[in-house]
Amino acid sequence: MTTRLRLLSACVLVAAIPSAWANGGGAASMPEIRAPREQTPQEQAKVLYNQGVHDVKKADKYQTSSAQQTNADKKARALHEAQEYYSSALARFQQAVQSDPRSHEAWNYVGYTNRKLGNYDAALTAYQQALTLKPGYPDALEYRGEAFLGLNRVAVGYVVV
């Protein structure tokens, strides 16, 4: 009788092993591997835009630091870092508008970074694109005004209606 009981117990254990493995029991189970989902152009643009904004914030901090420096070497270093971050941000924003040409925010930042790098005509073109996509966009209007100032293209007089 003991032999039969042992044989029956062994059969039950052997039968239970596959279900234990299927439920994650036993040895460590392998995680399911899935191929990454392709991002839409709009998702790609958003990621690039956010990376660009991150670079702009760093660039703005370096530019502020440069303006506050009294040591010429530190001033030059901070200004150089600002220019590097503006250049990096510009590349990201340009990629963003290639992925999603309807992003008025990205076009505005293409203008902003170009202006900060001294490329005023390119900045004006980008601001115009942002304003075409979203007429009256306040940031683009303000920064476009700053680009006109940088080019010394200021109207002497104006008519109030």
Side-chain angles (χ1 to χ4, degrees), residues 29-94:
S29 61
M30 293 293 292
E32 184 178 335
I33 299 174
R34 293 184 181 166
R37 181 180 66 82
E38 283 288 322
Q39 288 183 324
T40 66
Q42 291 76 19
E43 290 170 333
Q44 291 171 350
K46 185 179 274 190
V47 168
L48 290 162
Y49 174 84
N50 288 334
Q51 292 170 342
V53 169
H54 181 263
D55 286 350
V56 163
K57 287 180 181 180
K58 284 188 174 189
D60 287 344
K61 284 182 184 180
Y62 277 111
Q63 189 170 27
T64 300
S65 173
S66 170
Q68 296 170 345
Q69 289 295 332
T70 54
N71 180 297
D73 288 339
K74 289 181 180 179
K75 184 179 195 85
R77 254 191 315 251
L79 189 57
H80 176 75
E81 286 295 320
Q83 298 298 301
E84 290 292 317
Y85 277 109
Y86 285 131
S87 294
S88 172
L90 175 58
R92 293 177 195 273
F93 293 130
Q94 287 172 329

Side-chain angles (χ1 to χ4, degrees), residues 85-146:
Y85 277 109
Y86 285 131
S87 294
S88 172
L90 175 58
R92 293 177 195 273
F93 293 130
Q94 287 172 329
Q95 289 174 318
V97 297
Q98 285 177 351
S99 292
D100 183 6
R102 296 173 298 149
S103 174
H104 65 279
E105 295 99 338
W107 278 110
N108 182 58
Y109 267 117
V110 168
Y112 182 87
T113 50
N114 266 307
R115 181 173 55 84
K116 291 294 190 171
L117 292 167
N119 307 324
Y120 294 106
D121 289 327
L124 289 172
T125 301
Y127 293 138
Q128 186 56 48
Q129 184 62 34
L131 289 166
T132 298
L133 293 168
K134 185 170 182 176
Y137 184 47
D139 291 351
L141 290 171
E142 176 186 350
Y143 295 148
R144 183 179 66 174
E146 290 182 29

Side-chain angles (χ1 to χ4, degrees), residues 10-21:
C11 289
V12 168
L13 282 174
V14 168
I17 289 174
S19 73
W21 280 85

